[in-house]
Amino acid sequence: MELIFRLVEKYGGVFLQGLGYTLLLSVIAVAAGTVLGALVALMRMSRVKPLNWLMSAYIELIRGTPALLQLFFFYLILPRWFLAVNPSKFVCVAVALVINSSAYVSEIIRSGVQAVDRGQTEAGLSLGLTKRQTMLRIVMPQAIKNILPALGNEFVMVIKETSLASTFFVGDLMSAFRTVQGNTYLVIEPLMIVGFIYFALTFTLSKAVLRFERRLKASD
Amino acid sequence: MIETVDLYKSFGKLAVLRGVSERIGKGEVVSVVGPSGGGKSTFLRCLNLLEKPDSGAILFEGADITQKGADAGVHRRRMGMVFQQFNVFPHLSAAENIMLAPMLVKKKTRREADDMARALLARVGLADKYAEHPARLSGGQKQRLAIVRALAMEPDVMLFDEPTSALDPEMVGEVLAVIRGLVAEGMTTVIVTHEMGFAREISDRVLFMDNGVIVESGPPAELFARPKMERTKEFLSKVL
């Protein structure tokens, strides 16, 4: 126990920086993933068949392959594609996480929209609203209540997934563990510290999501 | 006012409408009765294009609304629709439920729409529910709200799809009273219903549908008392 305190004292800055990077990566992945995922969901639900198939293939491919593989893929391929820009390791990893998250988010959005009773759409149309108005004013406001809590849970998942980024040593929490391990030759203690930080993060977040979900339900 | 010509509609292999031709005049009150699965609701839903018929035409004041390029929205806003499951908007207050379409579609100001909502709510005895969300309304109140929501678009025709089938028995009366009031004002009305007594009371004409066709139609006194077709007799003997 004393060893842990000493580690925290000495390497607190390293762990904090790792926490910072993990949070940064997660926020980027979920935020950009949500924007991209919303677009994917829209195309997935569109009546233009080829678009529909293309997006469905995209979603299946991303969800059907390991995130680690995707990280490797973008880590190796992006610098070759964008020679001139020469993207940093962090950018490659972030891009991979965004793409990965977009596939999951798009399914969250799609199921959230489809969970809204079909009668709601019919009622909107029968009043003379256009399809777009019905979507924006009637379906979406109800779908949001299904989507937001699921998005919160996706955030929790992504936080844990960012640990894979440490494979490329991008400075996230898990990378911080490896730094400290390398400097001190200690394994269990730094691992416990990092594990505690992850848990504190995800536990608080999922509790917050749960409370938010209850408030949404109550407002109905 | 509305005329359907030889409507056909299938869901997959199931033929739901098999040649329905009917003419509904201005101010006429038509009830559609018959066994479940006979095509009553599908027929009604075709009238405002919630279902697209596979073939046949629907003429609304002479214009074919099934034609490609015809704007379904234009026709729908002239036909109010009331659903079995109410389909009130749960995320909006009672007043907002009513105000939404007039503001979006008819570009009424908030003030105009609000005045209208107050008047309509008062008309069906829901004045005190102005700010209430549907979750706090009873089934009968929801359905009354759904009716005035449709009326807010000042439609020429009202379509009712089994408006009392999802209601607790003690709430059926309050909804029927509202429909009765509309009919008394001369609203052109098509109502799919299992309430035979009500159909007999309010209708100018009753259609008996079974197996995707209109088997028989006539004034209620005639159709209920002296049905001509064997199938109609059989059905009526079970439900009356």
Side-chain angles (χ1 to χ4, degrees), chain A residues 119-120 122 125-126 137 142, chain B residues 45 76 87-91:
Chain A
Q120 293 289 314
E122 292 184 348
L125 291 178
S126 80
R137 304 298 294 265
Q142 297 181 57
Chain B
R45 291 160 57 83
R76 285 185 185 133
N87 295 342
V88 286
F89 305 134
H91 61 299

Side-chain angles (χ1 to χ4, degrees), chain A residues 29-178:
Chain A
V30 171
T34 300
V35 175
L36 188 60
L39 289 174
V40 171
L42 266 181
M43 291 190 274
R44 173 78 178 79
M45 288 185 288
S46 112
R47 276 170 309 156
V48 184
K49 278 271 150 46
L51 220 53
N52 201 321
W53 290 329
L54 200 67
M55 286 307 117
S56 165
Y58 171 84
I59 293 166
E60 292 304 329
L61 190 67
I62 302 288
R63 297 205 310 168
T65 52
L68 186 56
L69 184 147
Q70 292 158 20
L71 281 165
F72 265 108
F73 180 80
F74 286 103
Y75 182 75
L76 296 172
I77 210 84
L78 281 186
R80 278 195 224 169
W81 283 353
F82 300 100
L83 268 180
V85 196
N86 192 23
S88 66
K89 286 194 294 189
F90 185 83
V91 168
C92 295
V93 164
V95 166
L97 287 173
V98 166
I99 300 256
N100 180 272
S101 159
S102 76
Y104 288 93
V105 170
S106 78
E107 285 297 273
I108 289 173
I109 293 177
R110 187 168 74 101
S111 66
V113 167
Q114 288 178 343
V116 177
D117 186 56
R118 167 113 195 100
Q120 293 289 314
T121 305
E122 292 184 348
L125 291 178
S126 80
L127 287 166
L129 270 58
T130 61
K131 281 193 180 134
R132 174 187 290 263
Q133 287 171 330
T134 305
M135 192 50 147
L136 288 178
R137 304 298 294 265
I138 294 168
V139 178
M140 267 331 243
Q142 297 181 57
I144 288 287
K145 292 188 179 182
N146 308 328
I147 293 170
L148 282 181
L151 221 48
N153 291 328
E154 169 68 10
F155 197 36
V156 171
M157 294 299 296
V158 167
I159 287 178
K160 291 184 286 176
E161 215 139 85
T162 52
S163 65
L164 294 172
S166 69
T167 313
F168 310 100
F169 222 78
V170 292
D172 68 305
L173 256 181
M174 209 60 195
S175 306
F177 155 73
R178 288 169 58 188

Side-chain angles (χ1 to χ4, degrees), chain B residues 172-195:
Chain B
V172 170
E174 63 195 62
V175 170
L176 291 186
V178 173
I179 301 174
R180 201 176 279 126
L182 272 178
V183 165
E185 286 167 23
M187 175 69 78
T188 309
T189 303
V190 185
I191 174 167
V192 171
T193 184
H194 291 295
E195 301 277 336

